[in-house]
């Protein structure tokens, strides 16, 4: 029968790759805890309306990338394409936003129907960080410094650039939008089809276009930074002053707008040239209007999300990989039913006595020779052998597998202590 394959763009993460993922995820989780951020988890499926209303009807994500379907009740559901909308929904629904400050993070798969390629998948993974209830540039700066510290810890700082912009409050954006439409209307027939359509529906999305001809037309377009009002400017200056004081360098990118409608004021991206076209590994910004837009009370908010596949690729490309660890420290070999039964309880007692030691028991029998081969492959430092003779004397043979070869017999009762002194 024909084998059933996975869905295109939805990858398996295999055991050989999971140490890298675990390293990345645990490094991020530990760092976030050090800044006082708490984890929140929410469903992968939401009502389609949630994403339409937050991300915006006229965006790449909502127009062409969402996995939307009717469930058995005829309700329109969507596999989450990002986490911010769900996070806001969950926080508001559970009363976490009322007169409170929240510093939160989440991790998990996101789904977008894009053309799969290196660093671009249909099921990909993000860690998102969101804060609520703080309207000053201090928290924007904290989020950016936190992400910078993460790159430092991962050893990839040198490959990443911080791009920063302010897209102003909605009044500033309104004035700018008009100026942009006036400018681009002169070149309407030279714009790509998507951008032509967006000239009427969502002109600022055009700035984010990936079509080179459109990008070329934009080089002389009016700049958002010239349209910022005083309050937006003050917020941005406050952020820049804080980053300067912290010694963090950044590039001002007046065309940075982000592909989601809910952003205002601060937007930023961490980009690299090491991954080809998919160069943004982390992106975020302020979204003070979103909570209210989703039916809650006006609540300032700012956050970002990082793409874990791209970070894994970057760690691999830069060879900034974690130290590889063996599958086992101790591998237990036994031959014959009676020895196997004794070995099982021996393995359990070792795990009781030595919580930090990885004990792998040979299962499935086999000759001593084939068991030693497996022991060697496991990377274990020692093999503990329980044969008929050993069992008769309540002893084991401990064979050192790495470095100086060495082998000795000891009483089973002394084994844990012996391993502790020689291995730990
Ligand atoms: P891009 O411009 O690359 O399409 P985006 O602006 O759509 O990215 P966001 O929605 O801001 O991306 O998501 C934040 C991060 O999630 C991105 O910077 C990227 O690292 C990652 N990401 C987004 N889409 C994908 C995808 N299809 N596959 C893998 N990672 C992704
Ligand atoms: Mg995208």
């Amino acid at each position: 029968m024909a084998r059933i394959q996975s869905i295109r763009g939805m990858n398996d993460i295999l055991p050989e790759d999971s140490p890298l993922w675990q390293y990345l995820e645990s490094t991020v989780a530990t760092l976030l805890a050090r800044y006082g951020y708490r984890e929140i988890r929410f469903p992968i499926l939401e009502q389609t309306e949630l994403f339409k209303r937050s991300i915006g009807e006229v965006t790449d994500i909502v127009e062409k990338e969402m996995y939307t379907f009717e469930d058995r009740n005829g309700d329109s559901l969507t596999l989450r394409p990002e986490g911010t909308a769900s996070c806001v929904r969950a926080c508001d629904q559970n009363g976490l936003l009322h007169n409170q400050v929240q510093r939160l993070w989440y991790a998990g798969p996101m789904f977008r129907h894009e053309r799969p390629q290196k660093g671009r998948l249909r099921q990909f993974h993000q860690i998102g960080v969101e804060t609520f209830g703080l309207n000053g540039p201090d928290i924007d700066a904290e989020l950016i410094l936190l992400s910078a510290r993460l790159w430092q810890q991962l050893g990839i700082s040198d490959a990443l650039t911080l791009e920063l912009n302010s897209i102003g409050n909605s009044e500033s954006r309104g004035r700018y939008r008009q100026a942009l439409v006036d400018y681009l209307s002169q070149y309407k027939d030279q714009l790509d089809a998507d951008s032509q359509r967006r000239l009427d529906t969502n002109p600022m999305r055009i700035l984010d276009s990936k079509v080179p001809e459109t990008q070329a037309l934009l080089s002389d377009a009016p700049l958002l930074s010239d349209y910022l009002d005083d309050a937006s400017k003050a917020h941005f200056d406050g952020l820049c002053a804080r980053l300067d004081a912290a010694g963090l360098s950044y590039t001002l990118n007046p065309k940075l707008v982000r592909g989601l409608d809910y952003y205002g004021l601060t937007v930023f991206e961490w980009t690299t040239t090491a991954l080809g076209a998919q160069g943004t590994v982390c992106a975020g910004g302020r979204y003070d209007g979103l909570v209210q837009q989703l039916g809650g009370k006006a609540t300032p908010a700012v956050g970002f999300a990082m793409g874990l596949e791209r970070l894994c690729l970057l760690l691999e490309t830069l060879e900034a990989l974690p130290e590889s660890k063996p599958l086992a420290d101790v591998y237990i070999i036994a031959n014959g039913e009676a020895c196997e039964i004794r070995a099982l309880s021996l393995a359990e007692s070792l795990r009781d006595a030595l919580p930090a030691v990885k004990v792998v028991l040979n299962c499935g029998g086999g000759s001593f020779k084939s068991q030693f081969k497996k022991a060697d492959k496991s990377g274990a430092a020692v093999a503990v052998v329980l044969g008929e003779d050993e069992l008769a004397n309540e002893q084991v043979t401990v064979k050192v597998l790495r470095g100086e070869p060495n082998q000795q017999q000891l009483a089973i009762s002394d084994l844990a202590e012996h391993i502790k002194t020689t291995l730990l």
Side-chain angles (χ1 to χ4, degrees):
M1 250 203 284
R3 203 180 256 135
I4 297 170
Q5 301 281 332
S6 67
I7 297 165
R8 203 163 103 83
M10 302 203 178
N11 287 354
D12 303 305
I13 296 169
L14 300 178
E16 62 187 74
D17 297 323
S18 56
L20 178 56
W21 282 76
Q22 288 167 351
Y23 160 73
L24 182 57
E25 288 163 351
S26 66
T27 305
V28 180
T30 306
L31 180 77
L32 285 163
R34 290 182 60 205
Y35 278 79
Y37 286 68
R38 298 182 300 156
E39 185 183 5
I40 180 167
R41 302 186 186 201
F42 34 79
I44 285 170
L45 270 181
E46 297 275 359
Q47 296 192 41
T48 302
E49 188 57 24
L50 175 68
F51 302 114
K52 284 195 179 166
R53 223 202 277 177
S54 54
I55 297 167
E57 299 262 6
V58 191
T59 56
D60 278 349
I61 295 179
V62 172
E63 280 182 328
K64 45 192 181 196
E65 295 175 357
M66 293 207 303
Y67 279 91
T68 297
F69 61 94
E70 274 194 6
D71 78 354
R72 288 167 194 275
N73 303 328
D75 297 328
S76 179
L77 306 183
T78 294
L79 281 166
R80 64 181 185 198
E82 58 110 44
T84 304
S86 309
C87 188
V88 168
R89 199 262 319 126
C91 287
D92 187 46
Q93 183 175 333
N94 293 286
L96 303 188
L97 299 180
H98 188 64
N99 289 335
Q100 303 167 58
V101 167
Q102 296 289 352
R103 289 180 164 90
L104 303 172
W105 67 275
Y106 52 83
M110 306 293 162
F111 303 84
R112 296 186 195 175
H113 196 276
E114 303 196 69
R115 193 168 68 78
Q117 52 197 293
K118 182 183 169 192
R120 195 175 289 289
L121 292 141
R122 289 180 173 176
Q123 173 172 330
F124 62 99
H125 298 79
Q126 285 184 340
I127 293 181
V129 183
E130 317 285 359
T131 69
F132 298 98
L134 297 166
N135 59 14
D138 48 356
I139 188 68
D140 305 33
E142 174 177 294
L143 285 167
I144 290 173
L145 291 174
L146 175 166
S147 55
R149 183 182 295 274
L150 177 62
W151 317 139
Q152 197 84 49
Q153 287 196 353
L154 294 172
I156 55 177
S157 291
D158 290 349
L160 290 169
T161 303
L162 173 62
E163 295 187 38
L164 197 59
N165 191 23
S166 173
I167 58 172
N169 60 16
S170 54
E171 293 81 59
S172 316
R173 279 199 305 286
R175 286 186 292 126
Y176 173 68
R177 194 177 295 122
Q178 194 51 52
L180 185 66
V181 171
D182 292 347
Y183 169 83
L184 285 174
S185 299
Q186 309 170 68
Y187 308 102
K188 185 158 184 185
D189 20 303
Q190 296 170 51
L191 292 170
D192 61 275
D194 271 344
S195 297
Q196 285 189 5
R197 209 163 32 81
R198 286 177 182 173
L199 202 50
D200 300 321
T201 52
N202 196 350
M204 280 181 57
R205 284 276 63 73
I206 300 174
L207 295 180
D208 204 35
S209 163
K210 293 189 171 116
V211 178
E213 291 76 16
T214 300
Q215 272 304 326
L217 283 177
L218 286 168
S219 59
D220 292 324
L223 290 179
L224 225 167
S225 44
D226 297 330
Y227 290 78
L228 294 189
D229 65 308
D230 290 344
S232 302
K233 251 192 230 138
H235 187 97
F236 195 55
D237 291 346
L239 171 58
C240 293
R242 283 167 175 79
L243 297 181
D244 293 340
L248 188 71
S249 50
Y250 49 87
T251 305
L252 294 176
N253 176 355
K255 292 225 186 67
L256 185 65
V257 288
R258 314 275 311 106
L260 305 92
D261 273 357
Y262 51 63
Y263 287 111
L265 298 174
T266 311
V267 291
F268 66 93
E269 291 192 355
W270 285 98
T271 60
T272 179
T273 53
L275 296 180
Q278 272 57 252
T280 305
V281 299
C282 174
R286 188 163 269 285
Y287 51 96
D288 292 343
L290 182 59
V291 177
Q292 196 168 30
Q293 204 175 307
L294 289 175
K297 257 186 63 183
T299 307
V302 51
F304 67 81
M306 56 190 120
L308 299 188
E309 279 78 6
R310 291 185 196 176
L311 281 170
C312 283
L313 278 173
L314 190 58
L315 289 166
E316 279 164 356
T317 308
L318 301 175
E319 296 180 18
L321 298 171
E323 189 193 341
S324 75
K325 297 204 181 86
L327 190 65
D329 299 313
V330 175
Y331 193 95
I332 302 181
I333 289 172
N335 197 264
E337 172 107 13
C339 295
E340 283 175 9
I341 289 172
R342 185 68 185 86
L344 190 67
S345 59
L346 172 62
E348 287 299 326
S349 66
L350 280 184
R351 293 179 188 122
D352 287 339
L354 306 168
V357 172
K358 290 187 275 189
V359 178
V360 172
L361 173 65
N362 187 83
C363 284
S367 67
F368 276 124
K369 191 169 168 218
S370 76
Q371 294 193 43
F372 267 113
K373 259 199 190 146
K374 289 190 209 161
D376 206 45
K377 227 180 135 195
S378 76
V382 295
V384 169
V385 186
L386 193 62
E388 306 267 313
D389 294 345
E390 282 95 346
L391 185 62
N393 301 318
E394 267 297 299
Q395 285 192 325
V396 285
T397 301
V398 178
K399 193 173 173 199
V400 174
L401 299 174
R402 320 270 139 202
E404 277 294 291
N406 168 298
Q407 149 168 350
Q408 69 184 105
Q409 293 213 323
L410 24 125
I412 287 182
S413 54
D414 293 337
L415 180 61
E417 192 55 37
H418 175 77
I419 290 174
K420 201 169 169 180
T421 50
T422 58
L423 273 191
L424 301 180

